[in-house]
Amino acid sequence: MTNRNITQQARLKLGAIGAATLLALAACGGGDSTLAPPVSMPFKTLNSTQPIVVGHRGASGVLPEHTIEAYARAIDMGADFVEPDLVATKDGVLIARHEPNITSTTNVASLPQFASRRTTKKVDGVDETGWFASDFTLAEIKTLGAVITDAERPKQFDGLYKIPTLQEIIDLVKARRTATSRDIGIYPETKHPTFHRQLGLGLEDRLISSINAASWNSRTAPVFVQSFEPGSLKEMRAKGLNTRMVQLIDADDYDLKTGKLTYAAPYDRPYDWTVSGDTRLFSAMVTPAGLAEIKTYADGIGPWKPYILPIRATLDAAGNIVDRNGDGKRDYNDASAQSPTTLIDDAHKAGLLVHAYTFRNEQRRLTFELNKDPVAEYLPYYRLGLDGLFSDFPDTAIAARSTYLKELNR
Ligand SMILES: [Ca+2]
């Protein structure tokens, strides 16, 4: 390639300002040999570094979630962090599960020796029936097999992999850090902290203890600690946890007709707010006042992604969703991402990182304009300066990030 071609290509990529800079450089130097390579554009992230990819429950799109195998696969796919959700066993060991109720994520319901453990418990104010991690010792938990929960995902690995402890996940990540020289980290979440505290199985002290034992209790450690309950994060900060922390921000659903998020219990507010009589909704957290409050105890927010790009459908004259893809159904696949909210900018102004959840490949989860391409979903978020994201398919997130890096000449 000639230098002339480099200049033309750069002009196309950079737009007027970048091309003008290159032309000025060429004019000053007076020779082709002085031409600089295309100028890299800056990241819009809070710390001006590339956005991180978090393997959500591991590579949970392809292997049963929250298993060593799923975390290892996420790391192999290029994830910067792996995300263990934490619940406690009867003997007080932190294990990786999305819910205290392990009915849907394990084969426990098919094991006759545990049939009598089936029970009903109130989780965040809602009665749930099934098998609960807190009724099993770690030794018993280790006899279970993990299963994949999404019917569209591969089932052939069901029952083959065990439920890992937090310690086993830390050991995996440390081994992979050494083997790859990559800066891989963990992104643990305290799950239903109030529920566990009421059982006498508080998660916070146990998590701090594990992080201390790993020599990772610092701001520069490869650790983000996350929770939906502010009280859990505040407790850990008060007890000496120095890692970066992220306040998760949920909602119940979206109304495709209005493009607005909806708030129904138990996804209306953090459960510790419900217990303490605080009647605000999760939506209070994304206001300037809410962000300023989060900044007093956390380093970032983890919003559900429609807080950044609201999703809305087109309506016909009768007020019904238009079946834009012509499949006879009127649903998410017919809706579109709307103009972005100011949340990323507002959070950055408050000094907070923004890590959005959750990105998934399945066609039923993609809006109309994405044209069935899951990579395309990530790009507007990266371009807005999102600091990181959670994906069930870290390889897709990395592929999209590579596309984005090329846009920035990086
Ligand atoms: Ca449709």
Side-chain angles (χ1 to χ4, degrees):
M1 183 188 288
T2 66
N3 283 321
R4 177 181 171 80
N5 282 339
I6 290 174
T7 303
Q8 286 176 331
Q9 186 189 50
R11 182 184 295 152
L12 286 171
K13 279 190 176 178
L14 294 177
I17 295 172
T21 304
L22 277 177
L23 290 170
L25 284 170
C28 290
D32 285 348
S33 62
T34 62
L35 270 179
V39 177
S40 294
M41 308 285 268
F43 289 111
K44 293 181 186 171
T45 49
L46 181 65
N47 297 326
S48 302
T49 51
Q50 76 172 1
I52 62 166
V53 169
V54 184
H56 183 245
R57 313 181 197 174
S60 57
V62 294
L63 291 174
E65 68 188 50
H66 291 311
T67 57
I68 289 294
E69 290 77 6
Y71 298 125
R73 181 69 64 85
I75 291 168
D76 291 344
M77 288 177 169
D80 304 299
F81 285 79
V82 291
E83 191 234 9
D85 296 329
L86 299 175
V87 304
T89 63
K90 185 178 184 179
D91 43 350
V93 180
L94 296 184
I95 60 170
R97 286 291 92 187
H98 186 251
E99 296 94 8
N101 183 339
I102 57 175
T103 309
S104 69
T105 63
T106 72
N107 59 2
V108 67
S110 68
L111 302 177
Q113 66 271 36
F114 295 128
S116 64
R117 304 279 178 95
R118 187 170 185 270
T119 186
T120 298
K121 290 185 196 288
K122 211 173 267 301
V123 180
D124 295 1
V126 178
D127 278 337
E128 288 189 22
T129 296
W131 288 260
F132 292 81
S134 54
D135 292 332
F136 290 75
T137 64
L138 178 63
E140 289 170 335
I141 286 285
K142 284 293 186 183
T143 67
L144 307 178
V147 302
I148 214 155
T149 55
D150 187 311
E152 281 193 60
R153 295 180 178 177
K155 298 290 286 177
Q156 65 263 38
F157 308 102
D158 281 6
L160 299 181
Y161 307 143
K162 295 190 186 310
I163 297 174
T165 63
L166 173 60
Q167 188 58 53
E168 289 164 346
I169 299 160
I170 290 173
D171 292 345
L172 167 77
V173 169
K174 289 203 165 194
R176 292 299 176 105
R177 286 174 63 86
T178 301
T180 65
S181 298
R182 285 166 47 202
D183 191 18
I184 307 158
I186 60 165
Y187 206 129
E189 177 183 350
T190 54
K191 273 287 175 194
H192 304 281
T194 297
F195 168 86
H196 281 98
R197 204 172 298 120
Q198 288 170 347
L199 288 174
L201 292 169
L203 303 174
E204 291 79 8
D205 290 338
R206 293 174 166 88
L207 177 54
I208 295 171
S209 173
S210 292
I211 289 173
N212 277 330
S215 301
W216 274 349
N217 191 4
S218 75
R219 281 194 63 77
T220 55
V223 179
F224 282 99
V225 171
Q226 51 168 337
S227 189
F228 283 110
E229 295 190 14
S232 183
L233 297 178
K234 290 176 180 175
E235 178 182 336
M236 288 185 282
R237 195 64 98 199
K239 287 180 169 175
L241 184 62
N242 298 317
T243 64
R244 292 163 293 181
M245 290 198 215
V246 169
Q247 173 65 56
L248 299 172
I249 305 176
D250 211 354
D252 174 56
D253 204 348
Y254 20 56
D255 183 338
L256 290 176
K257 292 188 175 182
T258 64
K260 294 192 183 312
L261 292 167
T262 60
Y263 296 90
Y267 306 106
D268 49 350
R269 63 176 60 86
Y271 189 62
D272 59 336
W273 282 10
T274 299
V275 169
S276 69
D278 188 333
T279 58
R280 290 176 295 167
L281 302 174
F282 273 116
S283 54
M285 290 184 171
V286 299
T287 64
L291 293 168
E293 183 179 335
I294 291 169
K295 178 62 179 170
T296 64
Y297 62 87
D299 305 278
I301 57 171
W304 191 25
K305 60 191 181 182
Y307 275 104
I308 296 167
L309 290 177
I311 306 298
R312 194 170 69 189
T314 305
L315 304 184
D316 62 21
N320 296 315
I321 293 172
V322 175
D323 178 17
R324 290 166 79 197
N325 67 357
D327 67 353
K329 294 181 282 189
R330 302 167 189 274
D331 58 20
Y332 189 86
N333 291 147
D334 300 306
S336 289
Q338 304 297 297
S339 297
T341 66
T342 58
L343 181 57
I344 292 179
D345 285 345
D346 292 347
H348 285 175
K349 280 177 196 153
L352 292 165
L353 298 161
V354 184
H355 296 163
Y357 66 91
T358 299
F359 290 77
R360 300 177 165 114
N361 280 11
E362 283 88 7
Q363 163 60 18
R364 73 179 194 275
R365 304 179 188 276
L366 301 178
T367 52
F368 179 74
E369 76 279 5
L370 298 176
N371 196 24
K372 304 186 179 182
D373 176 12
V375 171
E377 186 187 14
Y378 295 82
L379 295 175
Y381 289 93
Y382 286 140
R383 290 169 185 148
L384 285 167
L386 186 70
D387 302 283
L389 52 83
F390 299 85
S391 177
D392 287 0
F393 298 84
D395 50 349
T396 309
I398 296 286
R401 188 172 70 183
S402 296
T403 299
Y404 173 62
L405 293 179
K406 282 182 193 141
E407 289 180 2
L408 299 183
N409 286 309
R410 288 177 178 271

